[in-house]
Amino acid sequence: MEQLGQHQHHHYHNPKPPVPRSSSWIRRSPPPSPPHKKLWGGGGGRSRYVCRVVPLLVLTMYSIFTVVRIPNSSLVVSTADSAERVERPREDVEAFKTHLPSNQNSLEVREETRSPASLPCSAHINGEAGGGQAAESVLCCDRSHYRSDVCYLRGDVRTDPSTSSVLLYNAPRGSAPEKVRPYTRKFEDSIMNSIDEVTIVPMDAVNGTGDDASGNSLRRRCDVRHPPGVPAVVFSTGGYTGNVYHEFSDGLIPLFITAQRFAGEVVFVVLEYHYWWLGRYGAVLEQLTNYKVVDFRYDRRVHCFSEMIVGLRIHGELVVDPKLMPNGKGIQDFQRLLHQGYSRRPSAATSASPPTVPLALAPPSRPCLRPDDYARVAKPKVVIFIRKQNRVLLNLPHIVTACRRAGFAPHVMNLRRQTPLPAIHAALASADAMVAVHGAAVTHFLFMRPGSVLLQIVPVGLDWAADAFYGKPAQQLGLEYLEYKVAPEESSLAAEYGVNSTVVRDPSVISSRGWWEMKKVYMDRQNVTVNVKRFGELLRAARLHLKNATSCGKAAVR
């Protein structure tokens, strides 16, 4: 046994040979245990095995105990605290997402405001984004609409008429120059090419644009510094300006849509400025701005603003869509503005009096009447607009007679370019009905009181345009809209091309060739002779509508 134990010892230990004295500076290993020493009464191999296994068992048990102890302790909570424990993991997940403490997450995450760069540009243009921080500059453009491009600037904005540019100093990092033609017929290349282009130039120290080596902006000196919070709206009066329809549909109504939210605290900067335009529509502009109009091309001074909109919003043809307006305003509000501008009132009385009350549904010349009162009151007034060059009413005297027979008092108006708008407004604001052949003059229905009648005479080939440009807008304003559609034999085109020709019988063939071809044939070369009998039926329908609208029974219902 002793020999066996000694054999086993040398098998596991195998001591090293002795180290020579010359290398005594080397630390020596302790000498091996004597072979006759035995631990726990067993052999050397068993003792070594036990020494290694026991610590591992202890470590394993401690680990198991620790793992089991942690979840058990977390589950030992009071009943009142259990609900909090259940909701805690969800809060921690949300806190991780928003980097907010769990106990503040539910409140602060809802109050968090996105940076201006993350907002859509339309929110800034419509005033839905708020003022933001004074130090935050914004440069963005909304080019999503097929009718117009609109850009928005906030910060240190300065005009540079010499280069038809607008400069934005300290622009947001990464901003690029933008080019805009501020007119609302973006889809029509031929007319847009005639509109002056505005270049918006971002100026910042990062890219070196307009700055010196020290990073200080070499800014153009302000000749006119407009008050903070008074923005500029930049637009063009070029294009089709000169045609009353386009002056309203492409200009004044989009200007109202864009600028009315500023309640007069806005400056209009106009490209292709016309003095006659200001003289004609000054009464309307005064309702939208408290400041003088700036002529962008010829005013060589540098104007400085804190905010600017370049371009105009547009909703459609002669329409203001309340659903697209931040404050829900509609075409009735634009009409009220026209009424305030063109009504003849002393300026002192106007300033002292409260805002104009919306126009009554029934014209004031038609009070609540009983059936036996109609014979004693004045006949309802109908205004007939006539044309001189095309789409002329060839039998005008017969139309005037038909109006009298239907119970109207006819008033014929031959509009000229120099006819003052207040005179037209006065004639129509007091009228009960209006008769006109399709054309720009029909735009003046905007002066008529809701509840009155618009009777449009529609020449051959103009059905769609008559309804889209005037019929639907008149109905949205609250007018009773009637159409007299000219028959093929009533058109002068029948004599020129033949009553059974494609031009007369199937206008879609010509219209398919484009707007200009349609205009050349159906708008520029056509006159009409109205069938008096058929026209009289519409006049009687209009008279009946006015009678019902002013009867005591209807008034009581309202």
Side-chain angles (χ1 to χ4, degrees):
M1 287 293 293
E2 187 178 57
Q3 291 179 354
L4 178 60
Q6 188 176 2
H7 174 75
Q8 289 176 347
H9 176 78
H10 286 285
H11 176 73
Y12 288 102
H13 197 70
N14 192 17
K16 297 180 181 179
V19 180
R21 290 184 180 274
S22 60
S23 60
S24 60
W25 58 272
I26 300 176
R27 176 176 291 182
R28 295 189 179 122
S29 299
S33 301
H36 62 277
K37 296 268 179 118
K38 299 179 182 178
L39 298 177
W40 291 295
R46 181 178 298 177
S47 63
R48 295 283 181 181
Y49 177 77
V50 172
C51 290
R52 295 178 180 180
V53 170
V54 170
L56 289 174
L57 289 174
V58 173
L59 181 60
T60 302
M61 292 178 64
Y62 178 80
S63 300
I64 295 173
F65 174 76
T66 303
V67 172
V68 172
R69 181 175 177 274
I70 291 174
N72 286 344
S73 63
S74 67
L75 292 176
V76 181
V77 294
S78 65
T79 305
D81 192 40
S82 60
E84 180 182 352
R85 294 282 185 178
V86 172
E87 294 296 327
R88 190 71 156 198
R90 185 177 301 169
E91 290 183 7
D92 290 338
V93 171
E94 294 299 324
F96 178 79
K97 291 179 180 179
T98 59
H99 304 283
L100 295 172
S102 298
N103 58 352
Q104 299 177 6
N105 176 50
S106 60
L107 174 64
E108 295 187 34
V109 75
R110 288 194 295 269
E111 296 179 349
E112 186 179 1
T113 302
R114 291 182 292 172
S115 64
S118 67
L119 292 172
C121 196
S122 59
H124 294 286
I125 297 167
N126 296 335
E128 299 168 339
Q133 309 227 346
E136 292 179 328
S137 60
V138 178
L139 171 55
C140 64
C141 293
D142 182 2
R143 302 184 185 273
S144 62
H145 201 283
Y146 81 102
R147 287 290 299 262
S148 66
D149 292 333
V150 185
C151 292
Y152 175 85
L153 300 83
R154 186 175 71 209
D156 187 353
V157 184
R158 307 190 182 200
T159 62
D160 183 7
S162 62
T163 60
S164 295
S165 300
V166 174
L167 312 178
L168 175 61
Y169 290 93
N170 295 330
R173 184 186 297 268
S175 298
E178 300 280 358
K179 294 183 180 293
V180 187
R181 297 184 189 271
Y183 192 62
T184 58
R185 296 192 77 82
K186 172 180 156 182
F187 61 93
E188 202 168 340
D189 292 341
S190 60
I191 202 68
M192 291 301 289
N193 290 335
S194 70
I195 302 298
D196 288 351
E197 187 175 64
V198 177
T199 302
I200 302 171
V201 184
M203 314 285 283
D204 67 275
V206 175
N207 57 30
T209 305
D211 299 297
D212 60 18
S214 64
N216 296 320
S217 299
L218 298 173
R219 310 188 183 197
R220 293 185 175 274
R221 181 178 59 85
C222 291
D223 298 314
V224 181
R225 186 179 292 278
H226 296 271
V230 177
V233 172
V234 182
F235 61 96
S236 173
T237 56
Y240 288 120
T241 301
N243 177 293
V244 66
Y245 169 79
H246 292 286
E247 288 167 2
F248 276 90
S249 186
D250 300 340
L252 292 176
I253 293 179
L255 183 61
F256 172 80
I257 291 171
T258 307
Q260 57 81 32
R261 69 180 178 89
F262 298 112
E265 290 302 299
V266 60
V267 176
F268 295 152
V269 180
V270 182
L271 283 73
E272 300 165 273
Y273 176 86
H274 305 287
Y275 285 99
W276 65 261
W277 177 83
L278 181 62
R280 188 170 180 82
Y281 296 109
V284 179
L285 300 178
E286 288 175 358
Q287 308 301 311
L288 291 171
T289 179
N290 301 326
Y291 302 88
K292 291 183 178 180
V293 173
V294 176
D295 183 352
F296 187 78
R297 179 185 290 177
Y298 293 108
D299 188 338
R300 314 308 293 178
R301 297 175 298 174
V302 175
H303 290 260
C304 298
F305 300 91
S306 60
E307 189 178 5
M308 179 178 284
I309 297 173
V310 183
L312 300 177
R313 287 289 199 199
I314 185 170
H315 296 165
E317 308 297 337
L318 297 178
V319 65
V320 179
D321 189 346
K323 296 179 181 177
L324 300 178
M325 297 290 285
N327 48 20
K329 290 186 178 293
I331 190 64
Q332 291 81 5
D333 297 283
F334 177 74
Q335 188 196 48
R336 188 177 300 115
L337 178 143
L338 296 177
H339 184 66
Q340 292 171 343
Y342 291 122
S343 293
R344 295 180 178 178
R345 295 183 179 183
S347 57
T350 302
S351 59
S353 61
T356 304
V357 178
L359 300 177
L361 286 178
S365 60
R366 316 309 311 159
C368 175
L369 300 174
R370 293 185 296 273
D372 55 349
D373 290 334
Y374 281 99
R376 297 193 298 270
V377 299
K379 294 180 179 181
K381 174 183 174 182
V382 58
V383 176
I384 305 171
F385 285 119
I386 61 173
R387 302 175 61 91
K388 291 294 187 180
Q389 295 182 350
N390 48 44
R391 284 161 281 157
V392 177
L393 282 172
L394 298 177
N395 59 339
L396 176 63
H398 297 89
I399 291 174
V400 173
T401 301
C403 289
R404 289 197 181 99
R405 289 176 178 174
F408 286 96
H411 295 255
V412 177
M413 288 198 73
N414 180 17
L415 295 183
R416 303 179 184 275
R417 186 63 197 171
Q418 61 269 27
T419 303
L421 277 179
I424 303 173
H425 174 268
L428 287 176
S430 61
D432 300 281
M434 168 182 167
V435 173
V437 180
H438 172 77
V442 185
T443 307
H444 294 109
F445 77 79
L446 290 168
F447 295 156
M448 300 184 71
R449 300 173 183 275
S452 53
V453 178
L454 170 61
L455 199 165
Q456 183 177 199
I457 299 172
V458 183
V460 169
L462 299 179
D463 293 13
W464 175 84
D467 184 59
F469 297 163
Y470 304 113
K472 285 185 172 61
Q475 291 173 316
Q476 292 178 352
L477 186 59
L479 273 61
E480 178 73 7
Y481 176 65
L482 301 175
E483 268 188 0
Y484 178 90
K485 293 188 177 183
V486 173
E489 61 274 11
E490 298 170 7
S491 170
S492 62
L493 296 176
E496 183 175 356
Y497 294 96
V499 71
N500 294 318
S501 65
T502 302
V503 171
V504 176
R505 294 292 179 179
D506 191 3
S508 63
V509 175
I510 303 299
S511 299
S512 64
R513 300 175 186 173
W515 168 263
W516 292 108
E517 190 67 21
M518 185 274 291
K519 179 180 182 298
K520 182 174 66 176
V521 175
Y522 297 109
M523 300 185 73
D524 297 343
R525 300 173 62 176
Q526 182 175 193
N527 297 317
V528 297
T529 303
V530 169
N531 183 301
V532 176
K533 181 179 180 181
R534 190 159 63 93
F535 186 72
E537 294 174 358
L538 279 180
L539 290 174
R540 286 189 289 274
R543 185 73 175 87
L544 180 61
H545 164 77
L546 293 172
K547 180 178 180 180
N548 292 336
T550 56
S551 65
C552 292
K554 292 288 183 180
V557 172
R558 289 175 182 161

